[in-house]
Amino acid sequence: MESEIVFLALDRFLVVLYGFTGHPVSDYFLGTFILALAAVLLGELTVALAFQANRKHIEALNDRLNSLQRLSLAALEAGERERYRALNKEANDAFGKVFFNAAALSAAYLWPVPFALGWMQLRFADVHIPLPFTPLAANYLVVFLLFYVPARLLFAAVRPKLPYFGRIQRVLASYRSTAGAGGEAAQQRGKVG
Amino acid sequence: MKKNRLWNALVLVMLSSLLVALVLGAGGVGAQTPAPQAAGKVGDTLGVPGKIGKAIAEAPLGTGKGQIDPGAPRGWLGIPGAPQVNPVVTFLWAVWVGWIFATVGAFGGVMAGVGHVTVYGLGAYTAAFKETAPTLNRLLTDSIRVSNQFLALLSSLVSSVNYYRMRRLVWPLGLALGAGSILGAILVPWLSGGKVTLSQYQGWFGLFVLLVGIILLYETTPRGQARRKAASEAARAFEKAIGEKGAETAQGVKVTRWNPSRVHFTFCGVEFSFNPLWPVLGGFVIAAISSFIGAGGGFLYVPFLTSIVGLPMFIVAGTSALTVFISMVSSITAYIKIAGAGIDWLLVGTQLVGVFVGSLIGPRTQKYIPDVWLKRLFVLLAFYVGLGYFSKGFFGRAWVPM
């Protein structure tokens, strides 16, 4: 079975994460947190590389969308309903491209997660942590997701201080501030990049 | 600022409570005893978890089509004798899907579905159980539907976080759409989970692809092109007229007043309002369709909110991404919990890597193919694929070779 071959190959490296304390439950939680943190790091690294490779294309798509949105709102403010509708429709098409491009790029953020979950399924499919006073139990998927969220928050908190990731974050933040306000943020992007 | 702090505190409290529950549960606090399970024809779940394992136990034993051979090597979802989805083929197909996402858009989701049903051989394997083990046939069909929805879930998650940071989410709109979409996304798996055969799914999927093809075809006709051209010219003319002194959009959205029949909010000094019943109804219908087909629905929410509810694109984008995320979480959870669909993590992971690589290649090749020709190519593909699945699903035989 292809899955088993792949995940067994990962097993010898990943299982090391689950043996730090010698206490099975603590090892399970600590190991899963480290695994989640590694998945976050790997995803962030990939998206940073992808962003650098496709920067021009992403900028062109975002600029077109932002410009159309800005124009449609200006038309609305000017009371030109027909023009607003035409521009809104154009912005709709431009958004389609931005959204599906983001869909493809989001794969870069999250690709390590299914691999981590696939390995956990092989190792911990039978481990169910009972939830107090309920007939419910948390399987490997729930445990991983519960540790993935704090891992992501932890990374977000330290990212500005990390050399490479901090720089990429500043560029991405300039896109957010763009949100239609055009030139200034674009100039800033130029400075940061 | 205050609302942000409250929101962060709420998330922190929820997360901490869940982590505490996990630690207490691991310590045996409040432990409950599970109910015993029954066996069937194969007589054992063969280690396959959930409802699929139970359906395997009920399936006929043997080495023929539509039978389970416990000694055969394990394939898709860990089922003995199921197709061994080749990671290289999966990767290459996903590169193609990623390329389409980055160049044309929504059609990438259709091609992802074609990959699951036809290219990876999951459709043919599932169809073999139609007569011999109908429950297994339906559960495997649900697993294919869930696989199709994973890409939409992941992309909408990332988009929602980004738009939230940009203050471009209208929360009453998100809540109204979300309420409708949760209902639709849970109702469809509840009503159809474990009941839809692969043939029925293929038929409806084919019909959906044909409709996508018709929309794409319209966009390539002189009339569709003229409409786009007119809008582009209007955009250019207006841009010249107002120059760079456009609307100041960095203020974000502010809800001014709301009641059950009308929500008012301002954006860039302009007041908008909508009746929340429309997004609830729209969310319900769109989520129900997307959940059944195994699609994200983002391409339906956006035109619905801009054309029918009349809201500006600037706000709609973020809110629809959040709604796709809510409806995908509801739908996938419902399929897994209610219908017992399984997930092949290696398949999902390999696809993500492939889609990512395809998205890097897309923009580099796009300049060599004019947009309209790219659309024409996908019109042909949509009609071919749509007709194939439609005829195979509803009439038992594909009218085109596939």
Side-chain angles (χ1 to χ4, degrees), chain B residues 41-401:
Chain B
K41 275 184 190 173
V42 172
D44 192 75
T45 62
L46 304 178
V48 179
K51 287 188 184 176
I52 292 179
K54 283 183 197 167
I56 285 174
E58 297 286 331
L61 196 65
T63 52
K65 270 192 168 183
Q67 294 175 324
I68 298 284
D69 174 13
R74 286 171 187 262
W76 178 46
L77 297 172
I79 303 170
Q84 307 263 346
V85 183
N86 186 328
V88 178
V89 174
T90 310
F91 173 75
L92 291 176
W93 188 261
V95 170
W96 164 235
V97 170
W99 185 85
I100 303 170
F101 269 137
T103 52
V104 182
F107 204 74
V110 170
M111 279 293 140
V114 172
H116 292 127
V117 177
T118 305
V119 182
Y120 310 151
L122 307 183
Y125 177 72
T126 302
F129 291 102
K130 190 180 173 186
E131 305 296 336
T132 59
T135 312
L136 188 59
N137 171 285
R138 288 164 191 155
L139 288 172
L140 295 180
T141 303
D142 290 343
S143 296
I144 293 175
R145 290 204 267 180
V146 168
S147 308
N148 291 351
Q149 289 182 328
F150 254 94
L151 276 178
L153 169 82
L154 301 179
S155 60
S156 57
L157 167 68
V158 174
S159 299
S160 300
V161 173
N162 284 339
Y163 284 118
Y164 170 71
R165 286 178 184 160
M166 292 179 199
R167 293 191 294 153
R168 285 168 60 172
L169 294 179
V170 187
W171 64 265
L173 180 64
L175 281 183
L177 264 178
S181 70
I182 286 176
L183 208 64
I186 291 179
L187 200 68
V188 165
W190 184 59
L191 289 175
S192 75
K195 295 185 185 77
V196 177
T197 63
L198 186 87
S199 320
Q200 289 164 338
Y201 173 65
Q202 272 186 329
W204 286 108
F205 182 74
L207 192 64
F208 172 76
V209 177
L210 278 174
L211 283 176
V212 173
I214 291 168
I215 295 168
L216 278 175
L217 180 67
Y218 173 74
E219 285 177 6
T220 60
T221 60
R223 203 178 156 188
Q225 295 274 62
R227 183 188 66 80
R228 285 205 62 179
K229 210 175 161 193
S232 296
E233 275 166 9
R236 263 200 301 275
F238 195 61
E239 191 163 25
K240 258 188 192 164
I242 68 157
E244 280 301 314
K245 292 174 196 159
E248 181 49 65
T249 54
Q251 300 165 20
V253 174
K254 199 173 169 192
V255 178
T256 48
R257 59 187 194 280
W258 65 278
N259 59 51
S261 63
R262 205 87 205 153
V263 175
H264 298 261
F265 66 93
T266 57
F267 183 67
C268 310
V270 181
E271 188 175 271
F272 294 88
S273 71
F274 63 91
N275 182 343
L277 189 67
W278 279 111
V280 172
L281 281 176
F284 174 77
V285 173
I286 295 171
I289 295 171
S290 344
S291 176
F292 187 84
I293 298 293
F299 62 99
L300 292 175
Y301 285 115
V302 173
F304 168 74
L305 291 172
T306 51
S307 305
I308 298 175
V309 188
L311 297 175
M313 186 62 218
F314 197 88
I315 295 161
V316 165
T319 312
S320 73
L322 176 69
T323 313
V324 171
F325 175 66
I326 292 172
S327 80
M328 286 300 98
V329 168
S330 315
S331 181
I332 292 174
T333 313
Y335 274 125
I336 294 171
K337 289 310 287 180
I338 301 171
I343 303 163
D344 189 326
W345 292 116
L346 180 67
L347 188 68
V348 176
T350 313
Q351 280 181 320
L352 288 184
V353 177
V355 164
F356 161 62
V357 173
S359 75
L360 291 182
I361 300 171
R364 282 164 181 75
T365 53
Q366 197 174 14
K367 56 189 167 195
Y368 301 111
I369 314 165
D371 210 34
V372 67
W373 279 105
L374 213 55
K375 273 196 178 145
R376 280 177 187 147
L377 168 73
F378 286 108
V379 168
L380 277 179
L381 265 175
F383 280 113
Y384 188 90
V385 168
L387 204 65
Y389 283 133
F390 176 75
S391 52
K392 206 172 174 181
F394 289 141
F395 299 94
R397 205 166 62 89
W399 296 341
V400 289

Side-chain angles (χ1 to χ4, degrees), chain A residues 1-4 6-7 25 29 46-47 49-54 57 61 64-78 80-81 83-84 86-93 95-115 117-119 121 125 129-136 138 140-143 145-147 149-150 153 156 159 175-183, chain B residues 12 15 18-19 21-26 28-32 49 73-75 77-78 84-87 98 101-106 151 154-159 162-163 165-166 168 219 227-228 231-232 234-235 237-239 242-250 267-270 272 298-299 302-303 306-307 310-314 317-318 320-321 324 343-346 348-350 352-353 355-356 359-360 363-364 366 371:
Chain A
M1 178 185 173
E2 304 284 354
S3 297
E4 259 177 31
V6 172
F7 295 128
V25 176
F29 289 162
T46 319
V47 89
L49 292 173
F51 171 74
Q52 291 216 316
N54 269 19
H57 180 65
L61 288 179
R64 164 113 182 107
L65 178 63
N66 288 330
S67 152
L68 285 165
Q69 287 170 337
R70 185 173 54 79
L71 288 168
S72 71
L73 287 167
L76 198 67
E77 279 180 334
E80 299 189 37
R81 295 299 290 199
R83 219 189 276 264
Y84 161 70
L87 288 161
N88 210 24
K89 221 165 219 174
E90 272 286 283
N92 196 344
D93 289 346
F95 170 72
K97 289 201 167 171
V98 171
F99 181 82
F100 288 105
N101 198 63
L105 271 182
S106 66
Y109 265 115
L110 300 162
W111 71 266
V113 173
F115 285 100
L117 287 171
W119 175 77
Q121 188 178 43
I129 310 284
L131 295 177
F133 309 111
T134 70
L136 305 171
Y140 71 96
L141 177 62
V142 177
V143 174
L145 292 179
L146 274 176
F147 284 108
V149 177
L153 292 176
R159 181 168 46 190
Y175 284 114
R176 284 178 204 123
S177 69
T178 309
Chain B
L12 202 69
L15 196 66
L18 286 166
L19 284 170
L22 207 61
V23 172
L24 286 175
V29 178
Q32 310 266 304
R74 286 171 187 262
L77 297 172
Q84 307 263 346
V85 183
N86 186 328
F101 269 137
T103 52
V104 182
L151 276 178
L154 301 179
S155 60
S156 57
L157 167 68
V158 174
S159 299
N162 284 339
Y163 284 118
R165 286 178 184 160
M166 292 179 199
R168 285 168 60 172
E219 285 177 6
R227 183 188 66 80
R228 285 205 62 179
S232 296
F238 195 61
E239 191 163 25
I242 68 157
E244 280 301 314
K245 292 174 196 159
E248 181 49 65
T249 54
F267 183 67
C268 310
V270 181
F272 294 88
F299 62 99
V302 173
T306 51
S307 305
L311 297 175
M313 186 62 218
F314 197 88
S320 73
V324 171
I343 303 163
D344 189 326
W345 292 116
L346 180 67
V348 176
T350 313
L352 288 184
V353 177
V355 164
F356 161 62
S359 75
L360 291 182
R364 282 164 181 75
Q366 197 174 14
D371 210 34

